[in-house]
Amino acid sequence: MKRSLPLAMLLALCFAPNARAANEADYKAAFAAAEAASKEATGLRNQWTVTVQALTAAKKAADGGDFDRATAAAKEAEALAKASIFQANTEKEAWKAMEIR
Amino acid sequence: MKTRTSLLLGSLSAALVAFALTSPRVVAADKVDPVADAKAFQNFFFQKFPDVKHEDFVNGPYSMNADLKRQWQEKEEFPPYEFALDAGKEMFSTPFKNGKTYADCFPNGGIGIRQNYPYFDEKDGKVVTLELALNRCREANGEPPYSYVKDEMASLTAYMAFTSRGKPMDIKIPDDPRALEAFENGKRYFYTRRGQLNFSCASCHVQSPGERIRAEILAPALGILNAMPIYRSEWSGMGTTSRRFVTCNSQTRAVPLEPQSDEYRDVEYYLSYVANGLPISGPGARP
Amino acid sequence: MTTTTGLHPTRRLILQGAASVALIGLGNLPFAAGPARAAANDKYPEEAFKQKNEADAIKALYGKTAEPSDKVKLDAPEIAENGGVVPVSVTTTLDKVTSISFLVAENPFALAASYKFADGTVPAVANRLKMAKSTKLVAIVEADGKLYSAAKDVKVTVGGCGG
Amino acid sequence: MASSIRVRATSNGDITEVQALIQHPMDTGLVKNPAGELIPAHYIQQLKFEWNGKDVFVADWGTAVSKDPYVKFSFKGAKKGDELKISWTDNKGGSDTTTAKIA
């Protein structure tokens, strides 16, 4: 037990610096990036429902003034949108592997 | 947060590379050959389920599970789509405001023709499904179109399907490059993975028909549209082909496209063509 | 299923006459007078349908308890294709059956349906019930004033892969 | 307009088999609509089958009977051509009735 205590402390320390509260500007930037990716996914006709939900959650949190959660949700939306774009591009060829021949 | 996205992308690409390496199949020259595709498609299911009678595939999950089939046969004695059928019959004979009826829009008065839909309209250069043709008929006669996912459309297609019961599916692909392209586009849609769950239609209906996803038994893809439209206990109501496509998409967490958009019409064209020869069994009752 | 107009007029009058006499004159004795028929009256058993659990519902409906009997054959699926529409049926070889009821133990209200049988009606019924979740299904048959029961477990879950 | 009750009564020999399918929502009162409000309970409480002036079969239903309810039973004594009167009442005072000839 004795040795693991300092280890836990060390871990806590390294997360501390970037935990300052996100402000409105951070949220706006994150949301803009998420929305761009989401538009691209829709353009590829491969939007995910969870992306849309994350975007709505981000907006809702931002309206409520909770920019921490809003920024996190916007980043989540961006990640999901990017994944759906990646899926659409890879599937352009990958589908043939499953085709019954 | 940044690490999270790259992690996600990394895992996806790694999975793909592994996947590509394992599939030894050489990608055949990409000449679209519907006849060969249909033969291969049907043989795949006939070999995978040797003791299922060929025409029984159109009964979807009921061809895969005896206990479920018994529940279905009990329901078929007095099926829940009875009301939609009667409503459809009545709507079919009720004239529009201009005195015309649906019979005037369709060959043979709309009776016993469902097995030829969808067809490729060479003038339009696109696939025309039964639901689309019905709404076009309404609009041509000054009537507002019906929603593709609601009861009125389901009642109309239920009646038209009923008049074709037992007739083998008979979809034609004219020798027109655009028709071949539509067929190929439908095939691509069928095998393309989508949604956060990363499923394609084939993931469920080709790789694991007969198996359960929770309470439901997965239907084989062969003849999966022959029973449309269906009364689903799940919806406790009628469902058109459009409604089925839209709900399947949202189950894999993919945002559905507009009903009757090109992809849906093409995948209906593909699935109907590869089921040529199997009987129409609509309207159907499903879990 | 068009309503019939073809009935010969006088026969029709007699029928209506007989019906009204039966209803007015003899009250609701169309059921053959037999031993005390607890559930013979036509009143809707409001109280029984309000009971949450199975035992209270049976007591409210019949005022006595049932004993399992292999003469009551209950037919229900092992896994319901859909909790909203579960085909369930019962047949029995007992005679002088006056009532058959279905109780779905895990439903918010246990009593699902109760049927009253006249003389000459075959003691069997099929219907489609709703089941909230996996549950014990009980069929009760009241024959000659005594209660017999049969039970079966039915698995119920939602379908589909998520959404 | 077609009645809400579909009946098929077929007699073979002395036994008449009766099947009925009724168009009714059978709302339990425990389900929410998409807008989140509870849909009020609306279900058939009693369904009667009358032949020859006599109630041959009476169904008392709760909220656990499926939408568009179905029931099947059979009874002795009737013959082809007899008339069967079917009527139901629901918890909102709604009702419907129809007659059918035994085929």
Side-chain angles (χ1 to χ4, degrees):
Chain A
M1 181 44 198
K2 233 175 116 332
R3 272 194 66 260
S4 62
L5 201 57
L7 184 65
M9 289 266 289
L10 191 66
L11 266 177
L13 260 180
C14 85
F15 273 115
N18 63 20
R20 67 164 174 69
N23 56 36
E24 181 147 9
D26 299 333
Y27 161 68
K28 283 243 170 3
F31 192 81
E35 219 171 17
S38 159
K39 280 211 172 47
E40 190 186 341
T42 312
L44 291 166
R45 294 172 83 73
N46 193 43
Q47 175 75 298
W48 289 358
T49 50
V50 282
T51 311
V52 174
Q53 282 155 16
L55 279 173
T56 334
K59 236 179 272 161
K60 198 153 166 281
D63 297 348
D66 178 349
F67 291 114
D68 270 347
R69 219 148 53 77
T71 311
K75 287 211 157 77
E76 173 79 10
E78 185 193 358
L80 290 167
K82 286 227 163 92
S84 66
I85 293 162
F86 182 86
Q87 178 188 55
N89 292 332
T90 47
E91 279 302 304
K92 284 205 174 70
E93 290 307 318
W95 68 272
K96 291 198 174 79
M98 204 191 277
E99 185 195 343
I100 300 174
R101 285 176 191 288
Chain B
M1 210 33 209
K2 205 76 207 67
T3 52
R4 211 108 177 246
T5 6
S6 50
L7 198 73
L8 200 63
L9 300 188
S11 65
L12 265 179
S13 50
L16 173 74
V17 166
F19 195 73
L21 289 181
T22 54
S23 61
R25 251 181 294 226
V26 169
V27 175
D30 266 359
K31 193 188 122 345
V32 178
D33 182 354
V35 176
D37 285 353
K39 182 163 274 307
F41 196 90
Q42 297 202 355
N43 285 341
F44 172 85
F45 285 97
F46 295 159
Q47 274 140 31
K48 186 170 178 135
F49 301 99
D51 44 26
V52 174
K53 287 204 297 297
H54 293 183
E55 66 278 7
D56 208 13
F57 277 103
V58 300
N59 299 323
Y62 304 126
S63 63
M64 296 280 128
N65 176 297
D67 181 39
L68 216 52
K69 181 161 198 169
R70 204 171 50 74
Q71 287 180 57
W72 171 53
Q73 274 155 345
E74 254 168 59
K75 270 202 306 189
E76 278 297 294
E77 275 183 32
F78 226 44
Y81 50 74
E82 190 98 0
F83 299 111
L85 208 43
D86 289 343
K89 187 170 187 175
E90 212 178 305
M91 285 157 72
F92 210 78
S93 48
T94 319
F96 302 125
K97 286 198 273 304
N98 64 7
K100 287 233 180 73
T101 67
Y102 292 103
D104 305 322
C105 302
F106 288 93
N108 193 26
I111 305 303
I113 56 160
R114 180 262 181 272
Q115 70 282 0
N116 303 326
Y117 285 78
Y119 69 93
F120 186 78
D121 183 331
E122 298 193 57
K123 192 164 40 49
D124 193 17
K126 282 211 174 133
V127 170
V128 173
T129 64
L130 187 60
E131 295 168 21
L132 188 60
L134 280 163
N135 260 347
R136 283 187 176 167
C137 174
R138 288 185 60 77
E139 280 161 339
N141 289 293
E143 298 282 344
Y146 283 136
S147 143
Y148 286 113
V149 292
K150 285 273 189 305
D151 284 347
E152 300 87 358
M153 183 55 82
S155 300
L156 281 173
T157 47
Y159 174 64
M160 289 183 81
F162 186 72
T163 61
S164 286
R165 254 194 190 177
K167 292 189 170 190
M169 187 72 95
D170 178 19
I171 304 295
K172 294 184 190 51
I173 299 187
D175 193 12
D176 173 335
R178 294 170 306 171
L180 293 173
E181 175 45 35
F183 176 82
E184 187 69 8
N185 188 29
K187 180 164 69 174
R188 181 181 313 114
Y189 186 89
F190 180 75
Y191 287 106
T192 300
R193 289 177 176 278
R194 58 182 55 84
Q196 187 183 26
L197 298 188
N198 202 25
F199 286 135
S200 66
C201 315
S203 316
C204 288
H205 299 293
V206 170
Q207 286 183 337
S208 36
E211 282 156 40
R212 277 190 185 279
I213 34 171
R214 298 192 283 186
E216 273 161 18
I217 301 264
L218 287 168
L222 179 57
I224 201 165
L225 296 179
N226 288 44
M228 285 295 175
I230 46 176
Y231 179 98
R232 281 202 74 214
S233 306
E234 178 93 17
W235 302 331
S236 66
M238 286 303 287
T240 57
T241 306
S242 301
R243 181 175 184 182
R244 185 66 264 196
F245 286 157
V246 165
T247 43
C248 260
N249 280 161
S250 33
Q251 282 202 34
T252 65
R253 296 186 186 157
V255 171
L257 308 170
E258 268 309 301
Q260 295 301 321
S261 51
D262 288 353
E263 288 91 335
Y264 287 152
R265 284 153 61 176
D266 291 347
V267 73
E268 185 172 340
Y269 192 47
Y270 168 72
L271 278 175
S272 304
Y273 180 79
V274 295
N276 266 353
L278 294 182
I280 297 292
S281 61
R286 288 289 184 273
Chain C
M1 248 59 77
T2 54
T3 49
T4 58
T5 51
L7 268 185
H8 190 275
T10 46
R11 180 155 173 267
R12 189 177 175 77
L13 280 178
I14 298 163
L15 257 184
Q16 266 152 3
S20 48
V21 163
L23 288 181
I24 302 160
L26 312 171
N28 43 35
L29 262 184
F31 295 98
R37 302 221 181 230
N41 53 37
D42 269 3
K43 199 169 67 50
Y44 177 70
E46 193 81 37
E47 217 24 57
F49 278 107
K50 287 207 185 77
Q51 300 310 316
K52 290 244 180 296
N53 72 47
E54 172 206 338
D56 298 347
I58 296 174
K59 203 142 75 30
L61 193 57
Y62 295 111
K64 40 187 185 275
T65 54
E67 48 166 292
S69 149
D70 50 21
K71 292 206 176 66
V72 176
K73 200 173 140 328
L74 170 61
D75 186 16
E78 208 195 308
I79 300 176
E81 76 171 18
N82 181 284
V85 182
V86 185
V88 168
S89 61
V90 135
T91 55
T92 177
T93 47
L94 296 165
D95 54 24
K96 294 208 197 74
V97 169
T98 49
S99 167
I100 293 184
S101 299
F102 291 96
L103 297 110
V104 180
E106 298 299 325
N107 270 359
F109 301 99
L111 181 58
S114 173
Y115 298 96
K116 296 186 192 103
F117 288 73
D119 237 12
T121 305
V122 175
V125 61
N127 56 166
R128 296 168 187 163
L129 301 179
K130 293 183 200 169
M131 297 184 187
K133 52 186 178 189
S134 295
T135 177
K136 183 176 82 171
L137 170 69
V138 175
I140 302 282
V141 172
E142 181 190 45
D144 199 10
K146 295 210 350 284
L147 289 189
Y148 304 88
S149 71
K152 195 168 187 245
D153 286 331
V154 180
K155 286 202 198 70
V156 175
T157 69
V158 290
C161 64
Chain D
M1 226 307 277
S3 130
S4 66
I5 307 172
R6 291 281 147 48
V7 188
R8 194 176 301 156
T10 49
S11 133
N12 39 34
D14 186 29
I15 294 185
T16 306
E17 187 188 73
V18 181
Q19 291 181 88
L21 185 73
I22 302 167
Q23 194 163 15
H24 195 282
M26 299 302 278
D27 293 322
T28 59
L30 309 167
V31 175
K32 289 200 172 70
N33 61 23
E37 301 122 1
L38 268 180
I39 301 170
H42 180 204
Y43 60 94
I44 291 175
Q45 294 190 317
Q46 200 163 67
L47 169 69
K48 282 191 182 165
F49 293 82
E50 195 191 304
W51 163 75
N52 223 353
K54 194 176 79 155
D55 280 348
V56 288
F57 188 68
V58 173
D60 293 326
W61 280 345
T63 51
V65 174
S66 300
K67 175 178 187 284
D68 296 340
Y70 164 85
V71 68
K72 178 169 88 171
F73 72 97
S74 31
F75 68 102
K76 299 194 188 94
K79 49 189 178 341
K80 278 193 174 32
D82 284 0
E83 207 175 65
L84 194 60
K85 180 163 160 298
I86 304 99
S87 54
W88 58 258
T89 51
D90 66 23
N91 65 321
K92 281 189 174 167
S95 70
D96 191 1
T97 177
T98 190
T99 53
K101 246 155 102 78
I102 297 173

